[in-house]
Amino acid sequence: MREIDLSIVAYQPDFALLRQLLSSLAEPLDPPARLNVLIHDNSPDPEVTARLKALPELQPGGAFTRIDVQHSGANVGFGCGHNANAARGTAPLFFVLNQDCILEPGAIAILLGHVATDPANVAAWELRQIPYEHPKAYDPVTMETPWTSGAATLYRRAAYDDANGYDEHFFMYGEDVDLSWRLRAKGWKLRYVPRAGIVHRTYSTPDEVKPRQAAGGVFASLSLRARFGSPGRIAEGFAMLFAELTRRRSYPGRRRSLLAAYLRYLWHAPHFLLTRVKANEHFRPHFAGWGYEIRREGAFHELRSWRDVPVRATPLVSILIRTVNRQALLREALASCANQTWPNLEVVVIEDGPAFSRAVVDEFRDRLNIRYKATGERVGRAHAGNLAMAEARGEWLNFLDDDDLFFADHVEVLVESVQRTGLKGAYSLAWETHTEFVDASRAVYEEVLHVTRHQQRFDRLILWHHNYLPIQAVLFHRSLFEKLGGFAEDMDQLEDWNLWTRYTLENDFVLVEKTTSKYRVPAAARVAAERQALLDRAYEDALERQRALALTLSPRAISEMADAYVRSQAVMMVTRNDLRRFVGSHKWLASIASWRQPAKEWLRRRRIVR
C-alpha cells in the first residue's frame, strides 16, 4: 500500500477553507493508501495551533493514518515549514500543499497512477491550478515542465532529500523554482499532471497586483540569477529593478517594498553566489523578465472545477488525424491526445496509403479510444480528411495534423467555450513553431521559435481575405459536415480555408484567447520559401472558389461587417457618428458645435464663404 506524507504550512488559516482541503484529502481512494497529515503552523498565536488540533477532520480514527500538528513559534516561511514537516515524515512520497487549496475529485489516485508508471528519475508531479492555470509552457508529449509550483506538488522523497529540500533563505515566492532547478541540474525530471487538479483561488480578479508577491518576486529573481545565471543575467536583474523603481506606482508603498526586497537580497547574496549551480546536459536556466519559462497566452482564462458543476455535459469529441508514413511524429501527436484533460474523447487516424502506422496506433489502445484506417493507395489530404469526418462518431470534431501538438487543455477549453456560447465552432490561439528537423524519421528536431501568428477575433470579411484559423485550433460541430460537406477533394493546399469559409457563411465561431496547440513550420529559410510558394499558388485557386459561394445578408448587416473590417485594419478610425457622440458628450464642445451653422450662415451672407 502506498504511503504519502501530506505537508501543509499554515499561517492564520481560513479554517473553513482548510477543512475543505482536509475533506478533499480524506475522500476514499481506490486502491487505498496511507495518508499522514503533517501541519507546521507559523501563526504567532499558539491558540491557532490548538484550534487546528481540535478540527474534526484531524481526530484519530478518521481517514488519516497519522496526524502531526506543530507550532513553530514564529513565521519561519514557506520552505522552512515544509522542510520541518519533511524532517518529521518518513513516507516515500511527500505531498506539498497550500493551506488554501482544495483537491479535485480523484487527484491523489491520478498522481499515484503516475508514480507507478513513470520512470524512477521523475522527481515531482505538479497538479493543475483552477480557475487559473499557471501559463508556463510544458512539453505536451512528455509532460515535462521547467519547474513545479509549491501550491500543490507531489515529490519523490528520495529526490526531495537529494536536493536538501527547499532553500530556507527564500521566505516566500521563488523557492519552488529554485528547488526545481536544483533537481533538474542533478538529472531529475519534473512532470505536469493537469488531470489532477486543485482549486486555488489566489486572485480575486484577473491581473490582480499583489504587493507581497511583487516584492517577493524581485528578491526571488535576483537570488535565482545569482545562483544560476551568468554575470549578464545578474546585471539584467539589477536593470529590471531600476526600471521598476522608475515606473508609475501601482499600489501604495511600491517603491519602498521593492527597495526592501533589494536590500534583503544584498544580505543573502553571498549565500547564493557561494552555492552557484552550473548549467549542464540536463538543465539550463531560463530567465524571461521576472519569469522563468516560456509562457502561453491566456493566463487568466478561467477553468471550471468539476466540483462546481456536479452534472457536467461531456459530449464525445473526435480528434481527426491524417498521416502518411510518419510514425515518430504521429506517436507524438497521439501522446498529446492521450494527455488531454477532456474525459470523453476518440481519435480517428486515417493513413493516406499503405498501413505503415498501424503498430504506432496499437501502442495507444490502452490509453485512447482510437480507430485506424489505411486507404491502401494515395488519395490525397482532402479525401483522407473527408474519410476521417465520415468515420467520426463524436458530436464535435477537431483536426490534428500528424506533426502538430495539443496542450493538455485544448479540447476542454474549446468544448466549454461552445457550451457557454451556444455556437457551432470555436478556435483558440496557437503557436506557429519554427522547427529545424535533424531527423524527422525519429522525431529529432529543435524548436527554434514560437510565434502567436493569429489573434484575430471572428470576422467573416477578414476570413474571406485570408485564413486565420490554423486547422488544429478549430473545434466544430459535426452538423456542419453533415449539412455542408467536407473538403474539396481536388484541393491539396488551403483546403481547410475553403472549409472554414463555407462553414462560417451562416455560423459564427468564437475565439478563445488561450494558447492550446502548436503547429510546425520550417525554420530553414529555403524550405519556408518553397512552402510559401506552394501556398501562394493555391491562394489564387481558393479565391476563385470563393466566387462560387453565395450569402444572403441585409444591407445593415453588410454595413456592420464593413465597419468592423475597417476598424480591425486601421490603427485608429473615427467615424462621423463617433465624432458626433464625442462632441455631444462634452457640454463645451456641444455649445461650440451649436454655433457652427449660424456662424456659417452669417459668413455666407457677407460673401466670406460660399
Side-chain angles (χ1 to χ4, degrees):
M1 182 184 293
R2 290 283 186 181
E3 184 176 7
I4 307 174
D5 286 336
L6 308 170
S7 178
I8 301 170
V9 175
Y11 179 78
Q12 305 288 53
D14 178 328
F15 277 86
L17 193 55
L18 181 60
R19 291 189 65 184
Q20 290 184 64
L21 167 60
L22 294 171
S23 295
S24 68
L25 290 168
E27 291 176 354
L29 288 173
D30 185 21
R34 289 192 292 270
L35 303 180
N36 308 318
V37 175
L38 309 173
I39 299 180
H40 195 78
D41 182 24
N42 281 340
S43 305
D45 187 353
E47 284 298 316
V48 175
T49 307
R51 287 185 63 191
L52 286 170
K53 292 180 178 180
L55 288 175
E57 292 81 4
L58 296 180
Q59 300 311 302
F64 304 119
T65 305
R66 176 188 166 199
I67 299 164
D68 186 346
V69 181
Q70 299 292 332
H71 182 241
S72 65
N75 189 359
V76 296
F78 178 90
C80 186
H82 283 297
N83 287 348
N85 283 340
R88 300 201 307 274
T90 58
L93 297 170
F94 185 65
F95 196 178
V96 169
L97 287 159
N98 267 26
Q99 65 177 9
D100 57 350
C101 66
I102 304 167
L103 267 69
E104 287 283 270
I108 293 180
I110 292 169
L111 291 173
L112 290 178
H114 281 271
V115 172
T117 58
D118 279 348
N121 67 342
V122 177
W125 297 265
E126 178 189 7
L127 288 76
R128 179 171 70 162
Q129 297 187 48
I130 299 169
Y132 304 129
E133 177 187 38
H134 194 285
K136 63 178 181 287
Y138 53 88
D139 188 323
V141 178
T142 65
M143 301 305 290
E144 288 185 25
T145 183
W147 59 273
T148 61
S149 169
T153 292
L154 178 67
Y155 289 95
R156 203 183 293 274
R157 168 81 62 170
Y160 191 89
D161 291 344
D162 184 35
N164 296 316
Y166 289 113
D167 186 328
E168 296 179 9
H169 285 74
F170 294 94
F171 182 78
M172 189 166 66
Y173 300 114
E175 64 281 294
D176 45 7
V177 179
D178 173 74
L179 175 56
S180 297
W181 283 6
R182 286 187 286 114
L183 284 167
R184 287 176 56 202
K186 286 176 171 285
W188 293 96
K189 302 288 188 181
L190 311 174
R191 289 277 197 271
Y192 182 45
V193 187
R195 285 183 175 175
I198 57 162
V199 175
H200 190 211
R201 302 188 185 280
T202 57
Y203 291 88
S204 55
T205 59
D207 290 315
E208 177 188 6
V209 176
K210 298 181 179 180
R212 183 177 295 180
Q213 186 180 49
V218 166
F219 173 83
S221 182
L222 295 178
S223 301
L224 289 168
R225 288 167 185 269
R227 172 168 283 165
F228 300 98
S230 65
R233 288 299 190 186
I234 295 172
E236 182 184 59
F238 293 142
M240 288 164 46
L241 175 59
F242 176 77
E244 290 290 342
L245 291 172
T246 60
R247 286 178 183 166
R248 185 176 179 181
R249 187 178 71 169
S250 55
Y251 58 86
R254 179 175 178 273
R255 291 186 180 90
R256 186 168 60 252
S257 68
L258 296 182
L259 284 172
Y262 174 63
L263 293 174
R264 181 166 170 257
Y265 160 73
L266 291 179
W267 178 259
H268 291 276
H271 165 74
F272 294 107
L273 291 169
L274 291 172
T275 55
R276 284 181 56 79
V277 177
K278 294 182 179 180
N280 56 39
E281 60 179 319
H282 306 294
F283 161 74
R284 187 167 298 279
H286 184 96
F287 295 100
W290 296 113
Y292 314 104
E293 68 287 307
I294 300 171
R295 293 195 172 197
R296 298 188 289 152
E297 297 202 39
F300 289 100
H301 176 86
E302 190 164 344
L303 300 169
R304 292 191 299 172
S305 166
W306 290 92
R307 294 186 186 277
D308 292 341
V309 189
V311 181
R312 190 163 166 181
T314 56
L316 178 64
V317 175
S318 298
I319 304 300
L320 314 176
I321 301 179
R322 300 172 288 182
T323 190
V324 184
N325 193 20
R326 301 203 293 185
Q327 292 97 312
L329 291 172
L330 174 62
R331 183 179 288 109
E332 292 197 342
L334 290 174
S336 77
C337 294
N339 291 328
Q340 290 298 296
T341 57
W342 188 250
N344 195 12
L345 198 71
E346 73 162 4
V347 177
V348 178
V349 179
I350 302 295
E351 180 128 38
D352 186 8
F356 294 116
S357 304
R358 185 180 299 278
V360 172
V361 171
D362 289 342
E363 293 174 17
F364 287 86
R365 294 202 182 276
D366 61 340
R367 299 176 60 191
L368 284 169
N369 172 14
I370 189 167
R371 284 179 290 122
Y372 171 77
K373 176 179 286 189
T375 60
E377 297 180 354
R378 294 296 297 273
V379 296
R381 288 166 47 82
H383 185 71
N386 289 341
L387 287 175
M389 286 189 276
E391 285 285 323
R393 299 167 183 166
E395 180 181 349
W396 297 93
L397 312 181
N398 198 147
F399 278 96
L400 178 66
D401 284 349
D402 60 3
D403 59 343
D404 298 339
L405 299 171
F406 290 150
F407 286 104
D409 57 349
H410 174 80
V411 174
E412 177 185 357
V413 164
L414 290 177
V415 172
E416 290 190 347
S417 179
V418 292
Q419 288 179 330
R420 184 181 67 255
T421 60
L423 298 176
K424 291 189 176 182
Y427 59 101
S428 53
L429 301 181
W431 273 346
E432 180 182 277
T433 302
H434 296 241
T435 307
E436 187 75 56
F437 279 96
V438 178
D439 185 351
S441 66
R442 296 187 296 118
V444 179
Y445 51 81
E446 180 184 0
E447 295 182 347
V448 178
L449 179 67
H450 300 296
V451 179
T452 305
R453 182 68 63 194
H454 304 289
Q455 295 181 280
Q456 176 63 52
R457 292 181 181 275
F458 182 71
D459 185 295
R460 284 185 179 82
L461 283 178
I462 295 175
L463 184 59
W464 294 344
H465 181 268
H466 64 270
N467 187 23
Y468 55 80
L469 301 178
I471 190 168
Q472 86 294 334
V474 183
L475 178 86
F476 59 98
H477 199 268
R478 73 170 299 110
S479 62
L480 297 179
F481 168 66
E482 292 169 347
K483 179 180 179 181
L484 302 170
F487 295 116
E489 296 193 358
D490 57 344
M491 296 183 75
D492 196 50
Q493 298 282 344
L494 301 181
E495 74 281 0
D496 54 333
W497 183 27
N498 176 269
L499 189 76
W500 306 142
T501 301
R502 288 187 284 116
Y503 282 6
T504 59
L505 285 177
E506 297 179 355
N507 295 280
D508 290 346
F509 283 10
V510 63
L511 168 65
V512 181
E513 296 184 87
K514 183 174 186 179
T515 304
T516 66
S517 65
K518 56 183 179 179
Y519 60 97
R520 302 192 189 282
V521 299
R526 180 184 59 81
V527 180
E530 292 173 353
R531 176 178 179 271
Q532 189 60 49
L534 291 174
L535 293 174
D536 289 343
R537 287 195 292 272
Y539 181 75
E540 296 303 322
D541 172 61
L543 289 180
E544 284 302 314
R545 292 171 188 267
Q546 286 187 3
R547 298 182 192 279
L549 301 176
L551 175 66
T552 302
L553 289 173
S554 68
R556 184 60 191 164
I558 295 172
S559 174
E560 290 172 350
M561 288 173 62
D563 185 50
Y565 177 78
V566 173
R567 287 179 182 276
S568 71
Q569 301 301 300
V571 176
M572 181 176 182
M573 173 185 170
V574 180
T575 65
R576 289 185 178 181
N577 286 335
D578 292 333
L579 188 60
R580 291 191 186 102
R581 284 192 293 268
F582 177 77
V583 169
S585 64
H586 294 76
K587 290 183 179 180
W588 64 276
L589 288 175
S591 64
I592 293 173
S594 67
W595 284 94
R596 177 177 175 274
Q597 193 62 32
K600 190 173 182 180
E601 290 296 326
W602 183 84
L603 292 171
R604 182 178 291 112
R605 286 197 299 271
R606 285 155 180 78
R607 299 182 180 180
I608 297 174
V609 298
R610 292 185 180 277

